[in-house]
Amino acid sequence: MAHGAAKRIAGQNEQAIRVLHLGMFLPTVLSILLRLLFRRGSLPPSKGSLAIYVVTYLPALFLSRYLESIGTSRRDPTTGAIVSSGQDLNQPGVMEWCFDILYVTWVCQIGSGAFGEWFWYFYLLIPSYAVFKVWSNFIGPMTGWSSDKSTEESASEKSTLSKRQEKLRKRSEKGDPRARTVRK
């Protein structure tokens, strides 16, 4: 059973690593081709454009190498059997955020080639989302300022009543004679 799961994870990781390899190469080529087709005046790119590209490419390169190193499965050289499937690259959380950063980078590279340098403003989605997550998960709850107060109050009310008590309360609201209130 565990060996089957290791094979499944190794297969999924190999596919994700192939996508990473294509993703590090293909957006660069597409960006250059789109510049040639639609924006000949932007060739050669300005120093600012190249600086933006390099500054965003370096974190993408770092993340892709990181994901590749932790997701690569190790196999026995003699038998070819899986020794370690690597970490699951499909797990939620940090892995998912790494892929999100890579996808936003690739979209910005292609978009800047097709539409212009203003497309790099979409890259600001990454720090905006990070600020949102830090605020909603850490700073907001510590300061007592949360946007989910009404849902928290209703959830706390429902959690104090058992299912049976909730059922009896609903029956008594409807006027059902089976829901008698016991007076002491």
Side-chain angles (χ1 to χ4, degrees):
M1 183 75 157
H3 188 63
K7 281 184 179 180
R8 180 185 53 80
I9 289 172
Q12 289 174 347
N13 285 353
E14 288 171 3
Q15 182 180 3
I17 289 171
R18 272 186 252 126
V19 168
L20 284 174
H21 287 188
L22 274 175
M24 293 308 291
F25 172 72
L26 203 58
T28 304
V29 172
L30 281 174
S31 177
I32 293 170
L33 286 175
L34 291 171
R35 281 181 191 274
L36 285 172
L37 291 174
F38 299 118
R39 301 181 48 236
R40 282 192 187 266
S42 68
L43 287 174
S46 66
K47 290 180 183 177
S49 174
L50 284 175
I52 290 172
Y53 185 81
V54 169
V55 165
T56 57
Y57 189 80
L58 290 176
L61 182 65
F62 170 75
L63 287 175
S64 69
R65 296 292 178 218
Y66 169 71
L67 290 170
E68 184 180 346
S69 69
I70 64 169
T72 303
S73 58
R74 290 191 316 254
R75 297 183 182 267
D76 185 15
T78 57
T79 62
I82 296 175
V83 175
S84 170
S85 63
Q87 288 187 15
D88 187 7
L89 295 179
N90 290 328
Q91 46 183 314
V94 175
M95 301 291 179
E96 192 174 48
W97 295 339
C98 289
F99 278 107
D100 290 345
I101 291 170
L102 288 170
Y103 297 151
V104 169
T105 303
W106 297 341
V107 167
C108 287
Q109 287 174 353
I110 294 169
S112 70
F115 303 115
E117 304 311 320
W118 62 269
F119 209 84
W120 284 105
Y121 284 114
F122 285 110
Y123 203 74
L124 293 175
L125 290 172
I126 296 169
S128 302
Y129 183 72
V131 167
F132 166 74
K133 289 303 270 185
V134 166
W135 178 265
S136 64
N137 290 338
F138 302 111
I139 297 172
M142 286 171 53
T143 60
W145 194 71
S146 176
S147 61
D148 297 335
K149 287 193 181 227
S150 61
T151 57
E152 288 175 4
E153 290 172 3
S154 64
S156 66
E157 287 177 9
K158 287 184 180 179
S159 66
T160 58
L161 296 177
S162 69
K163 287 183 180 180
R164 184 171 188 274
Q165 290 171 332
E166 184 69 27
K167 191 175 181 181
L168 287 173
R169 184 188 60 79
K170 286 181 182 178
R171 281 184 183 166
S172 66
E173 287 174 357
K174 291 181 183 178
D176 194 338
R178 294 180 289 176
R180 288 187 229 133
T181 55
V182 178
R183 298 177 195 242
K184 292 183 181 182

